[in-house]
mmCIF file of all heavy atoms in Angstrom:
data_model
loop_
_atom_site.group_PDB
_atom_site.id
_atom_site.type_symbol
_atom_site.label_atom_id
_atom_site.label_comp_id
_atom_site.label_asym_id
_atom_site.label_seq_id
_atom_site.Cartn_x
_atom_site.Cartn_y
_atom_site.Cartn_z
ATOM 1 N N LEU A 124 16.645 -9.675 -12.734
ATOM 2 C CA LEU A 124 16.626 -8.457 -13.536
ATOM 3 C C LEU A 124 17.860 -8.354 -14.430
ATOM 4 O O LEU A 124 17.798 -7.799 -15.522
ATOM 5 C CB LEU A 124 16.554 -7.226 -12.616
ATOM 6 C CG LEU A 124 15.310 -7.123 -11.727
ATOM 7 C CD1 LEU A 124 15.430 -5.919 -10.794
ATOM 8 C CD2 LEU A 124 14.055 -7.010 -12.574
ATOM 9 N N ARG A 125 19.002 -8.849 -13.960
ATOM 10 C CA ARG A 125 20.254 -8.805 -14.721
ATOM 11 C C ARG A 125 20.857 -10.216 -14.762
ATOM 12 O O ARG A 125 21.877 -10.485 -14.109
ATOM 13 C CB ARG A 125 21.230 -7.814 -14.066
ATOM 14 C CG ARG A 125 20.700 -6.382 -14.034
ATOM 15 C CD ARG A 125 21.554 -5.467 -13.182
ATOM 16 N NE ARG A 125 21.462 -5.811 -11.768
ATOM 17 C CZ ARG A 125 20.519 -5.372 -10.951
ATOM 18 N NH1 ARG A 125 19.572 -4.572 -11.422
ATOM 19 N NH2 ARG A 125 20.492 -5.726 -9.691
ATOM 20 N N PRO A 126 20.234 -11.111 -15.505
ATOM 21 C CA PRO A 126 20.651 -12.528 -15.441
ATOM 22 C C PRO A 126 22.059 -12.788 -15.956
ATOM 23 O O PRO A 126 22.645 -13.828 -15.638
ATOM 24 C CB PRO A 126 19.597 -13.229 -16.310
ATOM 25 C CG PRO A 126 19.066 -12.170 -17.214
ATOM 26 C CD PRO A 126 19.114 -10.903 -16.434
ATOM 27 N N TRP A 127 22.620 -11.858 -16.771
ATOM 28 C CA TRP A 127 23.964 -12.102 -17.311
ATOM 29 C C TRP A 127 25.029 -12.173 -16.220
ATOM 30 O O TRP A 127 26.082 -12.762 -16.420
ATOM 31 C CB TRP A 127 24.323 -11.027 -18.328
ATOM 32 C CG TRP A 127 24.215 -9.625 -17.811
ATOM 33 C CD1 TRP A 127 25.149 -8.905 -17.144
ATOM 34 C CD2 TRP A 127 23.052 -8.778 -17.894
ATOM 35 N NE1 TRP A 127 24.677 -7.666 -16.804
ATOM 36 C CE2 TRP A 127 23.399 -7.550 -17.259
ATOM 37 C CE3 TRP A 127 21.789 -8.929 -18.446
ATOM 38 C CZ2 TRP A 127 22.495 -6.497 -17.170
ATOM 39 C CZ3 TRP A 127 20.905 -7.879 -18.358
ATOM 40 C CH2 TRP A 127 21.243 -6.682 -17.722
ATOM 41 N N TRP A 128 24.733 -11.608 -15.028
ATOM 42 C CA TRP A 128 25.694 -11.705 -13.929
ATOM 43 C C TRP A 128 25.821 -13.136 -13.417
ATOM 44 O O TRP A 128 26.815 -13.473 -12.756
ATOM 45 C CB TRP A 128 25.291 -10.787 -12.788
ATOM 46 C CG TRP A 128 25.737 -9.372 -13.000
ATOM 47 C CD1 TRP A 128 25.011 -8.341 -13.507
ATOM 48 C CD2 TRP A 128 27.042 -8.846 -12.727
ATOM 49 N NE1 TRP A 128 25.764 -7.189 -13.558
ATOM 50 C CE2 TRP A 128 27.019 -7.468 -13.081
ATOM 51 C CE3 TRP A 128 28.214 -9.385 -12.218
ATOM 52 C CZ2 TRP A 128 28.131 -6.649 -12.953
ATOM 53 C CZ3 TRP A 128 29.332 -8.556 -12.075
ATOM 54 C CH2 TRP A 128 29.278 -7.216 -12.438
ATOM 55 N N LEU A 129 24.840 -13.961 -13.705
ATOM 56 C CA LEU A 129 24.930 -15.364 -13.280
ATOM 57 C C LEU A 129 26.027 -16.111 -14.037
ATOM 58 O O LEU A 129 26.431 -17.205 -13.613
ATOM 59 C CB LEU A 129 23.583 -16.060 -13.492
ATOM 60 C CG LEU A 129 22.404 -15.505 -12.677
ATOM 61 C CD1 LEU A 129 21.124 -16.245 -13.038
ATOM 62 C CD2 LEU A 129 22.693 -15.640 -11.178
ATOM 63 N N LEU A 130 26.494 -15.548 -15.154
ATOM 64 C CA LEU A 130 27.592 -16.170 -15.882
ATOM 65 C C LEU A 130 28.879 -16.165 -15.066
ATOM 66 O O LEU A 130 29.831 -16.908 -15.392
ATOM 67 C CB LEU A 130 27.820 -15.439 -17.213
ATOM 68 C CG LEU A 130 26.649 -15.490 -18.214
ATOM 69 C CD1 LEU A 130 26.975 -14.652 -19.439
ATOM 70 C CD2 LEU A 130 26.361 -16.935 -18.608
ATOM 71 N N ALA A 131 28.925 -15.333 -14.016
ATOM 72 C CA ALA A 131 30.114 -15.319 -13.157
ATOM 73 C C ALA A 131 30.197 -16.577 -12.293
ATOM 74 O O ALA A 131 31.291 -16.918 -11.803
ATOM 75 C CB ALA A 131 30.100 -14.080 -12.269
ATOM 76 N N LEU A 132 29.092 -17.270 -12.096
ATOM 77 C CA LEU A 132 29.107 -18.449 -11.231
ATOM 78 C C LEU A 132 30.019 -19.560 -11.767
ATOM 79 O O LEU A 132 30.793 -20.142 -10.991
ATOM 80 C CB LEU A 132 27.678 -18.961 -11.029
ATOM 81 C CG LEU A 132 26.751 -18.026 -10.238
ATOM 82 C CD1 LEU A 132 25.337 -18.608 -10.177
ATOM 83 C CD2 LEU A 132 27.286 -17.811 -8.829
ATOM 84 N N PRO A 133 29.958 -19.911 -13.077
ATOM 85 C CA PRO A 133 30.914 -20.934 -13.567
ATOM 86 C C PRO A 133 32.364 -20.511 -13.405
ATOM 87 O O PRO A 133 33.231 -21.347 -13.075
ATOM 88 C CB PRO A 133 30.525 -21.091 -15.047
ATOM 89 C CG PRO A 133 29.106 -20.631 -15.124
ATOM 90 C CD PRO A 133 28.994 -19.535 -14.120
ATOM 91 N N ALA A 134 32.668 -19.217 -13.623
ATOM 92 C CA ALA A 134 34.043 -18.745 -13.459
ATOM 93 C C ALA A 134 34.490 -18.874 -12.004
ATOM 94 O O ALA A 134 35.632 -19.276 -11.714
ATOM 95 C CB ALA A 134 34.156 -17.304 -13.933
ATOM 96 N N ILE A 135 33.582 -18.544 -11.072
ATOM 97 C CA ILE A 135 33.918 -18.678 -9.647
ATOM 98 C C ILE A 135 34.142 -20.139 -9.300
ATOM 99 O O ILE A 135 35.080 -20.485 -8.560
ATOM 100 C CB ILE A 135 32.787 -18.070 -8.792
ATOM 101 C CG1 ILE A 135 32.682 -16.567 -9.043
ATOM 102 C CG2 ILE A 135 33.026 -18.340 -7.309
ATOM 103 C CD1 ILE A 135 31.475 -15.929 -8.388
ATOM 104 N N GLY A 136 33.306 -21.023 -9.848
ATOM 105 C CA GLY A 136 33.486 -22.454 -9.591
ATOM 106 C C GLY A 136 34.805 -22.981 -10.124
ATOM 107 O O GLY A 136 35.453 -23.808 -9.475
ATOM 108 N N LEU A 137 35.221 -22.508 -11.301
ATOM 109 C CA LEU A 137 36.499 -22.934 -11.873
ATOM 110 C C LEU A 137 37.664 -22.474 -11.003
ATOM 111 O O LEU A 137 38.599 -23.254 -10.721
ATOM 112 C CB LEU A 137 36.639 -22.388 -13.291
ATOM 113 C CG LEU A 137 37.966 -22.697 -14.013
ATOM 114 C CD1 LEU A 137 38.158 -24.213 -14.156
ATOM 115 C CD2 LEU A 137 38.009 -22.013 -15.372
ATOM 116 N N LEU A 138 37.626 -21.215 -10.571
ATOM 117 C CA LEU A 138 38.699 -20.710 -9.715
ATOM 118 C C LEU A 138 38.742 -21.468 -8.392
ATOM 119 O O LEU A 138 39.838 -21.764 -7.868
ATOM 120 C CB LEU A 138 38.485 -19.207 -9.458
ATOM 121 C CG LEU A 138 38.657 -18.285 -10.681
ATOM 122 C CD1 LEU A 138 38.295 -16.855 -10.316
ATOM 123 C CD2 LEU A 138 40.091 -18.373 -11.202
ATOM 124 N N PHE A 139 37.571 -21.789 -7.846
ATOM 125 C CA PHE A 139 37.540 -22.544 -6.596
ATOM 126 C C PHE A 139 38.154 -23.939 -6.785
ATOM 127 O O PHE A 139 38.891 -24.430 -5.917
ATOM 128 C CB PHE A 139 36.095 -22.666 -6.114
ATOM 129 C CG PHE A 139 35.937 -23.502 -4.877
ATOM 130 C CD1 PHE A 139 36.347 -23.033 -3.648
ATOM 131 C CD2 PHE A 139 35.391 -24.780 -4.949
ATOM 132 C CE1 PHE A 139 36.201 -23.795 -2.505
ATOM 133 C CE2 PHE A 139 35.243 -25.554 -3.815
ATOM 134 C CZ PHE A 139 35.654 -25.055 -2.594
ATOM 135 N N TRP A 140 37.867 -24.561 -7.921
ATOM 136 C CA TRP A 140 38.412 -25.902 -8.172
ATOM 137 C C TRP A 140 39.930 -25.841 -8.317
ATOM 138 O O TRP A 140 40.651 -26.704 -7.794
ATOM 139 C CB TRP A 140 37.785 -26.473 -9.443
ATOM 140 C CG TRP A 140 38.247 -27.873 -9.743
ATOM 141 C CD1 TRP A 140 37.813 -29.032 -9.194
ATOM 142 C CD2 TRP A 140 39.283 -28.220 -10.679
ATOM 143 N NE1 TRP A 140 38.497 -30.097 -9.717
ATOM 144 C CE2 TRP A 140 39.422 -29.624 -10.637
ATOM 145 C CE3 TRP A 140 40.102 -27.492 -11.539
ATOM 146 C CZ2 TRP A 140 40.326 -30.306 -11.431
ATOM 147 C CZ3 TRP A 140 41.011 -28.172 -12.332
ATOM 148 C CH2 TRP A 140 41.112 -29.567 -12.263
ATOM 149 N N LEU A 141 40.423 -24.805 -9.011
ATOM 150 C CA LEU A 141 41.861 -24.686 -9.189
ATOM 151 C C LEU A 141 42.576 -24.424 -7.867
ATOM 152 O O LEU A 141 43.693 -24.911 -7.646
ATOM 153 C CB LEU A 141 42.174 -23.545 -10.175
ATOM 154 C CG LEU A 141 41.747 -23.779 -11.627
ATOM 155 C CD1 LEU A 141 41.980 -22.530 -12.453
ATOM 156 C CD2 LEU A 141 42.504 -24.968 -12.224
#
Side-chain angles (χ1 to χ4, degrees):
L124 298 175
R125 299 170 292 275
W127 55 86
W128 277 97
L129 297 177
L130 297 176
L132 293 177
I135 296 172
L137 177 61
L138 292 175
F139 176 73
W140 182 80
L141 292 174

